[in-house]
């Protein structure tokens, strides 16, 4: 079967972008960082790097971490509050990653991106060069949107919308061959399974059709901003750019190992490079 062959081919992917959402790295009861899950994630990524693969981590969680650090349990009420939480949280989040990666002698780097950085040809080239040099040096880049300045109220630094699309954009500009979106959902369903118990799971999507896009409307994540609709937008970017993409539930970082070993986990969206795909135009339209 085509889907089985596509799964088996994931073993040979060399440049992998992995995105974790806020819900994946925080405790559901308190919103505090889920340190044991993060530690296992770090170990698995270090092992992937040890296998000779290029690994890029796109991590949400700055605002949630800022709330935890400041002892505030509620979501931010204003844009200024959101940006302040992110400023505090991003530093704490990166400190956590660096400390854990250092236990495995793995160097990391932080890259905070904004929409205009990717749209502008000069800064986009500089960004790609930085990624490539870091990967050549054996570093695992940790990427997030620069939430302290990104806002829809400032057109020049407008947001990517969510980190699902950011991860897909990163995978496109660095020419990754696999994107893994880890979240609090198992993958793609024919409808929102929380609302419709008759919804069926879809393990393989060879082509993203209008029917598939319609199945993602109205779904959301427990903690983050990106629901299934955002993940399908990410899938269009990734697959049109030549990367396979998998959506899976992050119960444990073992799911990453399962995916790259070809196990039937989550939903696999098959790459089908689209020569007419214009990443910059897509970003401008977000």
């Amino acid at each position: 079967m085509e889907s089985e062959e596509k799964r088996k081919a994931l073993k040979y992917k060399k440049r992998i972008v992995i995105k974790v959402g806020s819900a994946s790295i925080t405790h559901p009861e308190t919103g505090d960082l889920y340190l044991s899950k993060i530690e296992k994630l770090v170990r698995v990524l270090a092992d992937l790097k040890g296998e000779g693969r290029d690994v890029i981590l796109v991590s949400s969680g700055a605002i949630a971490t800022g709330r935890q650090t400041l002892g505030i349990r509620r979501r931010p009420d204003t844009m200024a509050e959101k940006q302040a939480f992110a400023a505090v949280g991003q530093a704490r989040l990166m400190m956590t990653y660096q400390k854990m990666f250092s236990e495995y002698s793995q160097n990391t780097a932080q890259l905070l991106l904004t929409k205009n950085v990717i749209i502008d040809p000069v800064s986009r080239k500089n960004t790609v060069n930085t990624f490539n040099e870091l990967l050549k040096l054996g570093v695992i880049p940790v990427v997030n949107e620069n939430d302290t300045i990104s806002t829809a109220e400032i057109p020049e630094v407008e947001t990517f919308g969510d980190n699902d699309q950011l991860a897909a954009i990163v995978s496109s500009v660095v020419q990754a061959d696999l994107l893994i979106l880890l979240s609090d959902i198992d993958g793609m369903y024919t409808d929102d399974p929380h609302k419709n118990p008759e919804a069926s799971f879809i393990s393989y999507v060879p082509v993203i059709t209008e029917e598939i896009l319609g199945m993602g409307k109205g779904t959301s994540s427990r903690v983050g901003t990106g629901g299934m609709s955002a993940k399908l937008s990410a899938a269009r970017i990734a697959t049109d750019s030549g990367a396979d993409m998998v959506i899976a539930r992050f119960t444990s970082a073992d799911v990453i190992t399962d995916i790259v070993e070809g196990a039937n986990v989550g939903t696999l969206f098959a790459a089908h490079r689209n020569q007419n795909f214009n990443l910059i135009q897509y970003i401008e339209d977000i």
Side-chain angles (χ1 to χ4, degrees), residues 218-274:
T219 61
S220 62
S221 173
R222 173 177 56 79
V223 176
T225 57
M228 184 53 66
S229 181
K231 289 171 176 55
L232 288 175
S233 295
R236 292 178 69 183
I237 297 170
T239 57
D240 279 354
S241 299
D244 290 314
M245 191 186 98
V246 177
I247 303 172
R249 182 185 294 273
F250 186 26
T251 52
S252 162
D254 287 332
V255 69
I256 300 172
T257 304
D258 292 340
I259 290 169
V260 298
E261 288 182 350
N264 189 20
V265 175
T267 300
L268 170 61
F269 295 81
H272 46 82
R273 185 176 292 278
N274 180 356

Side-chain angles (χ1 to χ4, degrees), residues 2-18 48 51 53-54 176-181 203-204 239 242-248 255-271:
E2 179 185 356
S3 61
E4 292 178 359
E5 293 301 315
K6 288 285 187 179
R7 291 280 185 181
K8 291 178 182 178
L10 298 183
K11 298 178 183 180
Y12 307 106
K13 301 300 181 179
K14 291 296 185 182
R15 180 163 289 189
I16 304 174
V17 176
I18 297 163
L48 288 178
E51 293 172 359
R53 306 177 199 255
D54 292 335
D177 46 17
L178 176 60
L179 170 62
I180 300 174
L181 298 185
S203 63
Y204 179 63
T239 57
D244 290 314
M245 191 186 98
V246 177
I247 303 172
V255 69
I256 300 172
T257 304
D258 292 340
I259 290 169
V260 298
E261 288 182 350
N264 189 20
V265 175
T267 300
L268 170 61
F269 295 81

